[in-house]
Amino acid sequence: RKSGTIFVPRAAVSITGGIQPGALRRALGVEYVENGLAARLLLVCPPRRNKRWSEASISDQLKHRVEVMFGRLLALGFTTDRNDQPAPVDVPLSEAGKAAWVTFYNAHARTLADATGERAAVLSKLEGAAARLALIVLLVRSVEVEGDWSMATSATSPAAVDEPDVAAGVTLARWFAYEAERVYSMLHESDE
């Protein structure tokens, strides 16, 4: 703490939820679109579909597998720093993962160079989102092995982010870019 300022190392907050387009438009307003807050959110708005009755249900086996997966993800630990405090685990890129990342990075940089305004703001944030999403894919993959859901890695010796993880993260980031354009166009619509 320095002169009334609080420093929080590695601060992050993750929030998920649903909101109606009109309420989102009022909550974000022009201010939060212009100052870049909206660009930091992964916004989605699936197209509306007609409801249809279905007898389909989620099997108990699948529910159990998902519960086990989340339990194992929550059980992943941290390393500790020199003060014996929890610290993040560095997860390396494999050679193939790095090659995939460099390909995405260069292509994304060309796309970003041509973007302006709100689109540029969203695309600039999605570069980092692609990396974080690739890490999430790796972690989910690491707790599900050969269908038996056994741990494939520990938090202190994680597997490397590989090409399929990067490809999945990039695919998700590009989808979020598409969704952001759809949501931004809705934010600019009037209530009429």
Side-chain angles (χ1 to χ4, degrees):
R1 187 173 177 151
K2 298 177 183 178
S3 64
T5 302
I6 297 174
F7 175 73
V8 179
R10 297 180 289 274
V13 65
S14 298
I15 301 169
T16 186
I19 189 170
Q20 292 78 17
L24 178 64
R25 186 180 317 116
R26 288 187 300 277
L28 285 178
V30 174
E31 174 188 3
Y32 295 119
V33 171
E34 289 180 353
N35 73 13
L37 173 68
R40 288 170 169 79
L41 304 174
L42 299 178
L43 300 169
V44 297
C45 184
R48 291 182 63 132
R49 294 183 182 178
N50 289 334
K51 291 175 23 173
R52 293 187 74 120
W53 180 259
S54 172
E55 296 289 335
S57 63
I58 299 171
S59 71
D60 289 339
Q61 179 185 11
L62 180 57
K63 288 178 192 175
H64 176 71
R65 290 178 68 178
V66 171
E67 287 173 7
V68 169
M69 180 192 67
F70 277 106
R72 289 181 176 163
L73 287 170
L74 289 169
L76 291 174
F78 292 89
T79 59
T80 53
D81 63 18
R82 64 180 177 264
N83 299 319
D84 207 31
Q85 296 297 310
V89 176
D90 288 329
V91 180
L93 280 167
S94 69
E95 285 187 33
K98 182 176 181 182
W101 180 257
V102 168
T103 299
F104 160 71
Y105 184 91
N106 291 334
H108 188 74
R110 287 189 298 275
T111 302
L112 184 56
D114 294 333
T116 59
E118 295 167 354
R119 185 166 188 262
V122 167
L123 290 176
S124 70
K125 303 302 182 269
L126 284 176
E127 177 185 301
R132 287 187 290 280
L133 291 165
L135 181 59
I136 291 169
V137 170
L138 166 69
L139 293 174
V140 168
R141 202 169 49 82
S142 75
V143 298
E144 179 193 22
V145 176
E146 302 296 324
D148 69 1
W149 294 72
S150 61
M151 290 296 290
T153 184
S154 72
T156 55
S157 59
V161 177
D162 206 358
E163 186 278 331
D165 308 316
V166 172
V170 166
T171 298
L172 287 166
R174 288 182 174 149
W175 180 74
F176 279 115
Y178 170 79
E179 284 295 294
E181 288 187 33
R182 292 181 62 246
V183 171
Y184 273 55
S185 68
M186 291 182 349
L187 293 176
H188 294 299
E189 292 176 352
S190 68
D191 288 335
E192 293 78 33

